[in-house]
Amino acid sequence: MEARDPSILPVANPNRGAAWRRLGGRGMAGLVLVAALVLVAGSSRRSVPADSEAAFLDELEHRALTFFLEHTDTATGLTRDRAPADGSVSRAPASIAASGFALTAWCIGVDRGWLGREAALARTLTTLRYADGQVAREHGWFYHFIDAGTGARYWNCEASTIDTALFLQGAVLAREYFDDAEVRALVDRIYARIDWSWALDGGPTLRHGWTPERGFLAARWDSYSELMGLYLLGLGAPRGALPAETWSAWSRRSVAVHGRHAFISCPPLFTHQYSHAWFDFRGVHDGQADYWANSVAVTHAQREWCASLAGRFARWSPEMWGITASDSAGGYIDWGGPNNSGERLDGTLVPCAAAGSLPFAPRECLAALRAMRAAGGPALWGRYGFADAFNPQNGWVARDVIAIDVGISLLMAENRRSGFVWSHFMRAPEVRRAMAVAGFVPQDSRKPFVSGLLARARNDELRRLLLPLFERDARVAQTQVEREREELPAHPLETPIGAADRWARPLPERSWRRTARTR
């Protein structure tokens, strides 16, 4: 039976931060303590939104929390995968990933003053106790979809590595936030039970999952996607941790360039968001990439790409953009991005695409969310915030909201506002160990990190754009020289092929930047 008592959720929270004010009022000692807490929480990088932004995000987060309250089973603590946007009863199974987002939602609710601490702790314990003792799993890996009332496997689905990771990230966040002995014991036991070596199945990278009927799924987590959180949890695991070399075993070589943005590519936008919901990649790199900057670039590239398709979809614009995996009039589709053809696009927009990128491009994402809310009206903006997707070309609006889409919107809105999830999650010893094992180091302000992969991609793209111009100039030069040769037969000649080869050499980064500024 789902909880249905949103009256405990006042939208305003005038007392939030009162404890900080009390600490700060106790003289110099209080100020020193506050300063120390600020440093631990990473608040030196906090960006305080304007009042109008705060009000909008307050409502978005409050409605998202209402979804988790109303569609999490009170007996098992398992959260349904989706629900009707109008607030009616959901018949969907639970998903283990949705339950991980719910564990984080309870913490945000307490911090925002929308949920009492004891009520949230009780909900957290219900979920963790049931996950520890009743939810179906294999070698510690939970099944993707589960019966909300019994925890049994649903739909003959797989024991999923990525969905288990999403649950575990929520569990670790709850452990660090509540600092409760039973929560700690349950999370530690769930974490330690995961058999990371088994999921490698003899290879260098993790399998997507396993079923009793077919064994391991063929697909591996072997190229850049939402996999970073999964591997980092494995590297930091308290028992049977992944070998350090698994961090470098997955490929980062799928690189795309759109306009002035170069990035490691994976088409659906959510793949650039999910790991960032808990792990804080700001200001660090692993020697291979700056993953924060990568997600910033992807977000801006998608906005520009969507706007460029306004001739095809008249309602798309720099303020109306954003696609990711979502419902559509034709079913659930993992929409692409600026690095693929977009042949399947039908004009559908997905609000969680912009909401999930709020920390990466706050102004642009907030503008998109406001524009979509205005365009979609009450059909789009309802009890739980945005319906999963809508098509402004023809008026179609999704019937449901999807838990993980509501969840990424909630978490990234809160991270944009306060860095709350990052500040607590990154304190976990397993997380700190994983970041060290993966080779993450702080950015050096004196010598900014430049990814060799992306630099080469920029040069390749610039050569692609400029080479036809150089070839044209070479042909003009050829014609001119041939004319002169009639008078000066011994005049040396550089052939068009020679000129093209000369210009095809990689440009130094400084030259690329100078050339790009003049375009």
Side-chain angles (χ1 to χ4, degrees):
M1 184 68 181
E2 286 81 14
R4 290 189 175 275
D5 186 13
S7 62
I8 64 173
L9 298 172
V11 175
N13 180 18
N15 296 321
R16 188 175 191 224
W20 287 71
R21 290 193 294 274
R22 286 195 296 271
L23 280 171
R26 294 179 180 174
M28 185 58 68
L31 291 175
V32 171
L33 179 55
V34 170
L37 288 172
V38 167
L39 288 174
V40 170
S43 296
S44 61
R45 293 182 291 186
R46 173 182 286 194
S47 176
V48 179
D51 287 346
S52 59
E53 177 182 343
F56 180 89
L57 295 181
D58 248 12
E59 189 173 2
L60 184 148
E61 291 187 58
H62 181 267
R63 289 175 184 246
L65 179 59
T66 302
F67 166 83
F68 287 105
L69 285 168
E70 294 187 353
H71 297 286
T72 297
D73 191 286
T74 56
T76 66
L78 300 175
T79 303
R80 295 188 184 275
D81 178 63
R82 60 170 61 223
D86 64 7
S88 55
V89 174
S90 171
R91 303 297 180 189
S95 84
I96 199 65
S99 302
F101 276 105
L103 288 172
T104 303
W106 310 147
C107 301
I108 294 172
V110 173
D111 192 61
R112 284 277 159 200
W114 298 330
L115 190 61
R117 180 181 174 86
E118 292 308 311
L121 178 58
R123 286 177 173 275
T124 299
L125 286 168
T126 296
T127 303
L128 293 174
R129 288 167 183 161
Y130 211 80
D132 179 51
Q134 301 296 324
V135 176
R137 58 182 173 262
E138 181 64 36
H139 282 72
W141 300 94
F142 292 109
Y143 282 92
H144 187 167
F145 296 107
I146 44 184
D147 188 291
T150 68
R153 179 193 182 201
Y154 207 91
W155 284 333
N156 291 329
C157 68
E158 80 284 9
S160 171
T161 50
I162 194 66
D163 293 282
T164 298
L166 291 170
F167 176 82
L168 186 56
Q169 286 167 156
V172 169
L173 183 279
R175 184 191 69 186
E176 297 305 307
Y177 179 71
F178 287 113
D179 195 21
D180 173 84
E182 187 180 0
V183 170
R184 182 168 297 278
L186 287 165
V187 174
D188 289 351
R189 189 156 60 240
I190 291 168
Y191 201 164
R193 192 182 286 130
I194 296 173
D195 190 339
W196 299 90
S197 178
W198 175 79
L200 287 172
D201 187 31
T205 55
L206 293 164
R207 292 284 190 185
H208 278 209
W210 178 92
T211 68
E213 297 82 10
R214 294 177 293 158
F216 282 107
L217 305 185
R220 288 184 178 272
W221 293 106
D222 57 7
S223 59
Y224 174 84
S225 60
E226 69 273 30
L227 56 68
M228 291 192 294
L230 169 63
Y231 277 97
L232 288 169
L233 288 171
L235 292 176
R239 182 181 301 169
L242 288 174
E245 54 267 25
T246 57
W247 182 252
S248 297
W250 50 272
S251 172
R252 298 151 175 84
R253 301 195 66 82
S254 179
V255 174
V257 178
H258 183 82
R260 66 183 185 279
H261 308 292
F263 46 90
I264 305 172
S265 173
C266 188
L269 192 54
F270 80 87
T271 62
H272 303 273
Q273 299 169 345
Y274 275 30
S275 295
H276 294 261
W278 288 275
F279 285 89
D280 187 358
F281 294 103
R282 295 174 298 174
V284 297
H285 67 86
D286 64 351
Q288 302 183 75
D290 178 338
Y291 300 103
W292 173 267
N294 196 74
S295 289
V296 171
V298 170
T299 299
H300 285 288
Q302 182 170 124
R303 173 176 174 263
E304 294 168 12
W305 177 66
C306 287
S308 74
L309 296 175
R312 181 176 170 190
F313 305 117
R315 298 297 301 277
W316 288 23
S317 72
E319 286 71 46
M320 285 275 283
W321 61 273
I323 56 171
T324 185
S326 76
D327 283 347
S328 75
Y332 191 81
I333 295 180
D334 56 337
W335 306 109
N339 51 316
N340 66 2
S341 65
E343 292 175 357
R344 294 184 299 169
L345 298 178
D346 65 359
T348 296
L349 291 176
V350 189
C352 73
S357 281
L358 274 164
F360 306 134
R363 179 175 60 83
E364 293 82 357
C365 291
L366 188 65
L369 292 171
R370 284 175 164 156
M372 285 189 274
R373 178 175 172 177
L380 179 65
W381 180 259
R383 185 175 185 82
Y384 307 127
F386 290 103
D388 192 58
F390 77 116
N391 191 326
Q393 319 303 318
N394 58 25
W396 174 85
V397 178
R399 177 181 178 273
D400 288 350
V401 295
I402 297 177
I404 57 176
D405 292 350
V406 175
I408 194 64
S409 300
L410 170 61
L411 270 61
M412 293 301 252
E414 187 57 43
N415 277 334
R416 153 61 186 157
R417 303 175 74 184
S418 69
F420 169 82
V421 181
W422 295 327
S423 66
H424 290 280
F425 183 79
M426 296 301 292
R427 296 173 182 172
E430 300 93 340
V431 172
R432 296 198 301 269
R433 181 165 59 249
M435 297 293 281
V437 171
F440 281 95
V441 295
Q443 298 275 11
D444 186 345
S445 60
R446 298 166 299 178
K447 187 180 179 182
F449 171 77
V450 176
S451 167
L453 279 174
L454 299 188
R456 285 193 294 275
R458 292 189 192 100
N459 283 338
D460 290 344
E461 178 68 5
L462 189 61
R463 286 202 307 274
R464 186 186 69 80
L465 294 172
L466 296 183
L467 192 55
L469 301 180
F470 298 143
E471 290 175 340
R472 181 201 63 192
D473 292 345
R475 286 194 297 271
V476 171
Q478 169 91 19
T479 302
Q480 181 64 31
V481 168
E482 287 175 349
R483 289 174 180 170
E484 293 176 355
R485 180 178 286 172
E486 296 175 359
E487 302 174 4
L488 301 171
H491 190 78
L493 172 66
E494 180 178 39
T495 66
I497 294 177
D501 287 344
R502 176 164 55 86
W503 285 109
R505 296 170 192 152
L507 292 168
E509 180 72 12
R510 184 176 300 174
S511 298
W512 181 87
R513 292 180 182 277
R514 184 170 60 250
T515 306
R517 283 198 298 269
T518 61
R519 291 177 59 192

